Amino acid sequence: MSYINKSISIYGTDKDFIKAVVDELTSADSRIVCETDIDAEFANEDASHKVTVIFDMNGCYKLRFVREAKSQSVNYWYMEQVVNDTVTNGAKVYYSNTLYNIDAVATRTWKMIFVSNDNAIAMIFGNYNSDMTNSYSYNVFSYHENGFNVVSLIPNEPAASKPALSAELLRTDESNKNEVYKISVNRLNYSRGEEVEIIGSKVLFKSDIAEHDMKNVCDCSNVTAGNALLIDNNKYFSINSNTLIKA
């Protein structure tokens, strides 16, 4: 179980910065594995080479961080998903308001919220100057349970316009690959009152044919998205205004 809300801020080169991000993600959850040899990737001497760092997310999907060509000065990394061998849409996450070369020594900063439990992994990334309770640049949610794996499909930029759980979720396990699920529109929903009331597990629907209950992901009464809550001595994160992930 993990809940992390922090800034990743490094004074150094792009390689120093991305190594810090890799260390943060892979140490947050053992299901996240970096497939890239960072030193070898940055050592490519081709000026047109786009440095790419690939994470395997519990065998469900790939998360790629891509930088523009080494010859270009940039102030962001591009984040994208690879779902069932297809590259989906992503978003730029800016680490500075100044353009820097890949080997320039400077301060680079991202902000990140990471929440995971036995069944779900949620990640939210924000720019160097983001207020993470109110804005972010990229968010992704995936659910994993006994061979049932789904991942949210991130829309075109700006990704912040849609939270991950409002998007379609695509199944990635071999037996039912590419089935499309959506959060039920018939969910129970009560006004908040003085305290948060957890209603029960949410149901994912694939058309009217298949459904799947999610564990450790709950419907709740209205809450402020992006906040951590302590309920009955358990910590939850509100990924949107009616959905809690147990952390």
Side-chain angles (χ1 to χ4, degrees):
M1 303 287 186
S2 296
Y3 170 76
I4 297 169
N5 183 358
K6 67 179 299 181
S7 293
I8 304 170
S9 187
I10 294 295
Y11 178 75
T13 65
D14 259 21
K15 184 170 74 169
D16 297 326
F17 173 65
I18 207 66
K19 277 187 171 182
V21 175
V22 170
D23 288 344
E24 193 68 53
L25 287 177
T26 55
S27 63
D29 196 301
S30 61
R31 292 170 292 184
I32 302 176
V33 177
C34 181
E35 297 184 337
T36 304
D37 182 328
I38 305 298
D39 290 326
E41 183 67 9
F42 275 86
N44 189 314
E45 296 182 355
D46 183 355
S48 65
H49 177 64
K50 292 188 176 183
V51 174
T52 303
V53 179
I54 302 174
F55 298 87
D56 179 89
M57 308 298 294
N58 197 38
C60 179
Y61 69 103
K62 308 281 187 182
L63 183 61
R64 303 203 312 182
F65 298 169
V66 183
R67 190 193 188 280
E68 291 295 343
K70 293 182 70 173
S71 58
Q72 291 182 266
S73 297
V74 298
N75 58 346
Y76 64 86
W77 280 71
Y78 193 79
M79 306 179 76
E80 61 190 14
Q81 295 166 271
V82 182
V83 181
N84 296 338
D85 299 320
T86 300
V87 177
T88 67
N89 297 317
K92 292 176 181 177
V93 182
Y94 291 86
Y95 59 65
S96 174
N97 62 350
T98 303
L99 299 177
Y100 291 117
N101 292 323
I102 200 165
D103 293 324
V105 176
T107 298
R108 296 167 171 84
T109 300
W110 272 350
K111 295 184 178 180
M112 179 183 78
I113 294 175
F114 178 93
V115 187
S116 71
N117 56 48
D118 291 341
N119 307 106
I121 300 174
M123 292 182 292
I124 301 172
F125 289 92
N127 296 327
Y128 68 96
N129 62 347
S130 294
D131 177 355
M132 291 296 282
T133 60
N134 297 307
S135 66
Y136 51 85
S137 302
Y138 185 87
N139 71 128
V140 60
F141 169 87
S142 56
Y143 183 83
H144 318 264
E145 183 192 358
N146 298 325
F148 181 90
N149 293 287
V150 291
V151 59
S152 58
L153 296 180
I154 302 304
N156 284 316
E157 294 183 83
S161 64
K162 287 187 178 181
L165 281 177
S166 71
E168 292 182 339
L169 294 108
L170 198 64
R171 194 162 175 178
T172 64
D173 49 278
E174 288 297 327
S175 58
N176 298 89
K177 189 176 289 187
N178 289 320
E179 285 186 353
V180 176
Y181 284 74
K182 290 186 177 181
I183 297 297
S184 169
V185 297
N186 297 317
R187 58 196 297 180
L188 297 172
N189 185 13
Y190 295 98
S191 60
R192 176 173 180 174
E194 294 183 357
E195 296 182 358
V196 174
E197 176 189 3
I198 297 178
I199 297 169
S201 63
K202 192 184 305 299
V203 176
L204 293 174
F205 284 97
K206 183 234 173 201
S207 302
D208 294 322
I209 301 171
E211 63 181 41
H212 191 92
D213 288 322
M214 290 197 291
K215 298 176 182 177
N216 294 316
V217 181
C218 301
D219 262 342
C220 65
S221 54
N222 293 334
V223 293
T224 301
N227 286 326
L229 305 169
L230 189 65
I231 304 171
D232 296 330
N233 295 319
N234 292 310
K235 181 173 281 187
Y236 292 84
F237 178 78
S238 51
I239 194 169
N240 61 29
S241 61
N242 295 102
T243 310
L244 297 178
I245 297 177
K246 191 174 182 179

